[in-house]
Short mmCIF file of all heavy atoms in Angstrom, two decimals:
data_model
loop_
_atom_site.label_atom_id
_atom_site.label_comp_id
_atom_site.label_asym_id
_atom_site.label_seq_id
_atom_site.Cartn_x
_atom_site.Cartn_y
_atom_site.Cartn_z
N ILE A 1 95.59 -7.35 -55.92
CA ILE A 1 95.53 -8.77 -55.57
C ILE A 1 95.84 -8.94 -54.09
O ILE A 1 96.46 -8.08 -53.45
CB ILE A 1 96.52 -9.61 -56.41
CG1 ILE A 1 97.96 -9.13 -56.18
CG2 ILE A 1 96.14 -9.55 -57.88
CD1 ILE A 1 98.99 -9.98 -56.89
N ARG A 2 95.42 -10.10 -53.54
CA ARG A 2 95.68 -10.36 -52.13
C ARG A 2 96.11 -11.79 -51.86
O ARG A 2 96.97 -12.03 -51.03
CB ARG A 2 94.44 -10.05 -51.29
CG ARG A 2 94.72 -10.18 -49.80
CD ARG A 2 93.51 -9.84 -48.97
NE ARG A 2 93.86 -9.76 -47.56
CZ ARG A 2 92.99 -9.56 -46.58
NH1 ARG A 2 91.71 -9.39 -46.88
NH2 ARG A 2 93.38 -9.50 -45.34
N SER A 3 95.53 -12.77 -52.54
CA SER A 3 95.78 -14.16 -52.20
C SER A 3 97.23 -14.54 -52.52
O SER A 3 97.88 -13.96 -53.39
CB SER A 3 94.83 -15.08 -52.97
OG SER A 3 95.22 -15.19 -54.33
N ARG A 4 97.68 -15.55 -51.80
CA ARG A 4 99.05 -16.01 -52.00
C ARG A 4 99.26 -16.50 -53.44
O ARG A 4 100.30 -16.21 -54.05
CB ARG A 4 99.37 -17.14 -51.03
CG ARG A 4 100.81 -17.64 -51.12
CD ARG A 4 101.07 -18.81 -50.21
NE ARG A 4 102.44 -19.25 -50.37
CZ ARG A 4 102.86 -20.02 -51.35
NH1 ARG A 4 102.02 -20.43 -52.29
NH2 ARG A 4 104.14 -20.38 -51.43
N ASP A 5 98.30 -17.22 -53.99
CA ASP A 5 98.43 -17.73 -55.35
C ASP A 5 98.54 -16.58 -56.36
O ASP A 5 99.34 -16.65 -57.30
CB ASP A 5 97.25 -18.63 -55.70
CG ASP A 5 97.31 -19.97 -54.98
OD1 ASP A 5 98.39 -20.31 -54.45
OD2 ASP A 5 96.27 -20.67 -54.94
N GLU A 6 97.73 -15.54 -56.15
CA GLU A 6 97.80 -14.39 -57.06
C GLU A 6 99.15 -13.69 -56.97
O GLU A 6 99.72 -13.28 -57.98
CB GLU A 6 96.69 -13.39 -56.71
CG GLU A 6 95.29 -13.85 -57.08
CD GLU A 6 94.24 -12.86 -56.62
OE1 GLU A 6 94.31 -12.37 -55.47
OE2 GLU A 6 93.34 -12.55 -57.43
N ILE A 7 99.66 -13.56 -55.74
CA ILE A 7 100.95 -12.91 -55.55
C ILE A 7 102.06 -13.73 -56.20
O ILE A 7 102.94 -13.20 -56.88
CB ILE A 7 101.22 -12.68 -54.05
CG1 ILE A 7 100.24 -11.63 -53.51
CG2 ILE A 7 102.66 -12.22 -53.83
CD1 ILE A 7 100.27 -11.47 -52.00
N GLN A 8 102.01 -15.05 -55.99
CA GLN A 8 103.03 -15.92 -56.59
C GLN A 8 103.02 -15.82 -58.11
O GLN A 8 104.07 -15.79 -58.76
CB GLN A 8 102.78 -17.37 -56.16
CG GLN A 8 103.03 -17.64 -54.69
CD GLN A 8 104.50 -17.73 -54.36
OE1 GLN A 8 105.26 -16.79 -54.59
NE2 GLN A 8 104.92 -18.84 -53.81
N LYS A 9 101.84 -15.78 -58.69
CA LYS A 9 101.73 -15.67 -60.14
C LYS A 9 102.30 -14.34 -60.63
O LYS A 9 103.00 -14.29 -61.64
CB LYS A 9 100.27 -15.82 -60.57
CG LYS A 9 100.08 -15.84 -62.08
CD LYS A 9 98.63 -16.09 -62.45
CE LYS A 9 98.46 -16.10 -63.97
NZ LYS A 9 97.04 -16.35 -64.36
N ALA A 10 102.02 -13.27 -59.88
CA ALA A 10 102.53 -11.95 -60.27
C ALA A 10 104.05 -11.93 -60.19
O ALA A 10 104.73 -11.37 -61.07
CB ALA A 10 101.93 -10.88 -59.37
N VAL A 11 104.62 -12.52 -59.14
CA VAL A 11 106.07 -12.55 -58.99
C VAL A 11 106.72 -13.33 -60.12
O VAL A 11 107.79 -12.96 -60.64
CB VAL A 11 106.45 -13.16 -57.62
CG1 VAL A 11 107.95 -13.42 -57.53
CG2 VAL A 11 106.02 -12.22 -56.49
N SER A 12 106.09 -14.42 -60.53
CA SER A 12 106.69 -15.27 -61.56
C SER A 12 106.65 -14.66 -62.95
O SER A 12 107.44 -15.02 -63.82
CB SER A 12 105.99 -16.63 -61.59
OG SER A 12 104.66 -16.50 -62.05
N SER A 13 105.73 -13.71 -63.17
CA SER A 13 105.54 -13.22 -64.54
C SER A 13 105.75 -11.72 -64.73
O SER A 13 105.73 -11.24 -65.87
CB SER A 13 104.12 -13.57 -65.01
OG SER A 13 103.15 -12.93 -64.19
N CYS A 14 105.96 -10.96 -63.65
CA CYS A 14 106.09 -9.50 -63.80
C CYS A 14 107.40 -9.14 -64.51
O CYS A 14 108.39 -9.88 -64.46
CB CYS A 14 106.02 -8.81 -62.44
SG CYS A 14 107.40 -9.16 -61.33
N LEU A 15 107.39 -7.99 -65.14
CA LEU A 15 108.60 -7.49 -65.79
C LEU A 15 109.62 -7.05 -64.74
O LEU A 15 110.81 -7.35 -64.84
CB LEU A 15 108.25 -6.32 -66.70
CG LEU A 15 109.42 -5.65 -67.42
CD1 LEU A 15 110.04 -6.62 -68.43
CD2 LEU A 15 108.96 -4.37 -68.12
N LEU A 16 109.15 -6.33 -63.72
CA LEU A 16 109.99 -5.87 -62.64
C LEU A 16 109.11 -5.61 -61.43
O LEU A 16 107.89 -5.58 -61.53
CB LEU A 16 110.79 -4.62 -63.03
CG LEU A 16 110.00 -3.35 -63.42
CD1 LEU A 16 109.76 -2.45 -62.21
CD2 LEU A 16 110.75 -2.57 -64.49
N ALA A 17 109.74 -5.42 -60.27
CA ALA A 17 109.01 -5.18 -59.03
C ALA A 17 109.47 -3.87 -58.40
O ALA A 17 110.63 -3.46 -58.54
CB ALA A 17 109.21 -6.33 -58.05
N ILE A 18 108.55 -3.24 -57.69
CA ILE A 18 108.85 -2.10 -56.83
C ILE A 18 108.39 -2.51 -55.43
O ILE A 18 107.21 -2.79 -55.22
CB ILE A 18 108.12 -0.82 -57.29
CG1 ILE A 18 108.51 -0.47 -58.72
CG2 ILE A 18 108.43 0.34 -56.35
CD1 ILE A 18 107.69 0.66 -59.33
N THR A 19 109.33 -2.57 -54.50
CA THR A 19 109.01 -3.12 -53.19
C THR A 19 109.67 -2.30 -52.09
O THR A 19 110.59 -1.52 -52.34
CB THR A 19 109.48 -4.58 -53.10
OG1 THR A 19 109.15 -5.12 -51.82
CG2 THR A 19 110.98 -4.68 -53.28
N ASN A 20 109.20 -2.48 -50.86
CA ASN A 20 109.91 -1.89 -49.73
C ASN A 20 111.19 -2.69 -49.49
O ASN A 20 111.37 -3.78 -50.02
CB ASN A 20 109.03 -1.83 -48.48
CG ASN A 20 108.62 -3.19 -47.98
OD1 ASN A 20 109.43 -4.09 -47.81
ND2 ASN A 20 107.33 -3.35 -47.72
N ALA A 21 112.08 -2.14 -48.68
CA ALA A 21 113.39 -2.76 -48.48
C ALA A 21 113.41 -3.63 -47.24
O ALA A 21 114.45 -3.79 -46.59
CB ALA A 21 114.47 -1.68 -48.39
N GLY A 22 112.26 -4.25 -46.91
CA GLY A 22 112.19 -5.23 -45.85
C GLY A 22 112.29 -6.63 -46.43
O GLY A 22 112.98 -6.86 -47.44
N ILE A 23 111.59 -7.58 -45.82
CA ILE A 23 111.67 -8.97 -46.27
C ILE A 23 111.18 -9.12 -47.70
O ILE A 23 111.63 -10.01 -48.43
CB ILE A 23 110.88 -9.89 -45.31
CG1 ILE A 23 111.15 -11.36 -45.63
CG2 ILE A 23 109.39 -9.60 -45.35
CD1 ILE A 23 112.59 -11.79 -45.49
N SER A 24 110.27 -8.24 -48.15
CA SER A 24 109.78 -8.33 -49.53
C SER A 24 110.92 -8.20 -50.53
O SER A 24 110.91 -8.84 -51.59
CB SER A 24 108.73 -7.26 -49.81
OG SER A 24 107.58 -7.46 -49.03
N LEU A 25 111.90 -7.38 -50.22
CA LEU A 25 113.03 -7.20 -51.12
C LEU A 25 113.82 -8.51 -51.25
O LEU A 25 114.19 -8.93 -52.35
CB LEU A 25 113.94 -6.07 -50.62
CG LEU A 25 115.23 -5.84 -51.41
CD1 LEU A 25 114.93 -5.60 -52.89
CD2 LEU A 25 116.00 -4.66 -50.82
N TYR A 26 114.07 -9.16 -50.12
CA TYR A 26 114.78 -10.44 -50.15
C TYR A 26 113.99 -11.48 -50.95
O TYR A 26 114.58 -12.29 -51.68
CB TYR A 26 115.02 -10.94 -48.73
CG TYR A 26 116.02 -10.13 -47.93
CD1 TYR A 26 115.62 -8.99 -47.23
CD2 TYR A 26 117.36 -10.50 -47.86
CE1 TYR A 26 116.52 -8.25 -46.47
CE2 TYR A 26 118.27 -9.77 -47.11
CZ TYR A 26 117.85 -8.65 -46.42
OH TYR A 26 118.75 -7.91 -45.68
N GLU A 27 112.66 -11.46 -50.80
CA GLU A 27 111.81 -12.39 -51.55
C GLU A 27 111.98 -12.17 -53.06
O GLU A 27 112.09 -13.13 -53.83
CB GLU A 27 110.34 -12.19 -51.17
CG GLU A 27 110.00 -12.46 -49.72
CD GLU A 27 109.62 -13.90 -49.45
OE1 GLU A 27 109.73 -14.74 -50.39
OE2 GLU A 27 109.22 -14.20 -48.32
N MET A 28 112.00 -10.91 -53.49
CA MET A 28 112.13 -10.61 -54.91
C MET A 28 113.49 -11.07 -55.44
O MET A 28 113.59 -11.62 -56.54
CB MET A 28 111.94 -9.11 -55.17
CG MET A 28 110.55 -8.57 -54.90
SD MET A 28 109.24 -9.38 -55.81
CE MET A 28 108.44 -10.27 -54.47
N LEU A 29 114.54 -10.86 -54.66
CA LEU A 29 115.87 -11.27 -55.11
C LEU A 29 115.96 -12.78 -55.24
O LEU A 29 116.51 -13.31 -56.21
CB LEU A 29 116.93 -10.75 -54.14
CG LEU A 29 117.05 -9.23 -54.03
CD1 LEU A 29 118.16 -8.84 -53.07
CD2 LEU A 29 117.29 -8.59 -55.39
N ALA A 30 115.42 -13.50 -54.25
CA ALA A 30 115.46 -14.96 -54.31
C ALA A 30 114.67 -15.49 -55.50
O ALA A 30 115.02 -16.53 -56.08
CB ALA A 30 114.90 -15.55 -53.01
N ALA A 31 113.61 -14.78 -55.88
CA ALA A 31 112.78 -15.19 -57.01
C ALA A 31 113.35 -14.75 -58.36
O ALA A 31 112.81 -15.13 -59.41
CB ALA A 31 111.36 -14.65 -56.85
N GLY A 32 114.39 -13.95 -58.34
CA GLY A 32 115.00 -13.50 -59.59
C GLY A 32 114.25 -12.39 -60.29
O GLY A 32 114.21 -12.34 -61.53
N VAL A 33 113.66 -11.48 -59.50
CA VAL A 33 112.88 -10.37 -60.08
C VAL A 33 113.72 -9.09 -60.06
O VAL A 33 114.19 -8.69 -58.99
CB VAL A 33 111.58 -10.14 -59.28
CG1 VAL A 33 110.77 -9.02 -59.92
CG2 VAL A 33 110.76 -11.42 -59.22
N PRO A 34 113.91 -8.42 -61.19
CA PRO A 34 114.58 -7.12 -61.17
C PRO A 34 113.77 -6.15 -60.32
O PRO A 34 112.55 -6.03 -60.51
CB PRO A 34 114.57 -6.68 -62.64
CG PRO A 34 114.29 -7.93 -63.43
CD PRO A 34 113.48 -8.82 -62.55
#
């Protein structure tokens, strides 16, 4: 996926995330994603 809407939907519904430890990590924590 690439679009912002697709990413937002994935963040809201995924079981967990694997991310780099930059700003993406802070985004996942603020969104409540394990």
Side-chain angles (χ1 to χ4, degrees):
I1 60 175
R2 186 179 189 184
S3 75
R4 183 184 179 280
D5 287 345
E6 288 176 316
I7 292 171
Q8 292 283 59
K9 185 176 180 180
V11 171
S12 68
S13 62
C14 67
L15 178 66
L16 61 92
I18 301 172
T19 181
N20 63 50
I23 190 62
S24 295
L25 176 55
Y26 291 86
E27 297 271 6
M28 294 303 109
L29 296 182
V33 182

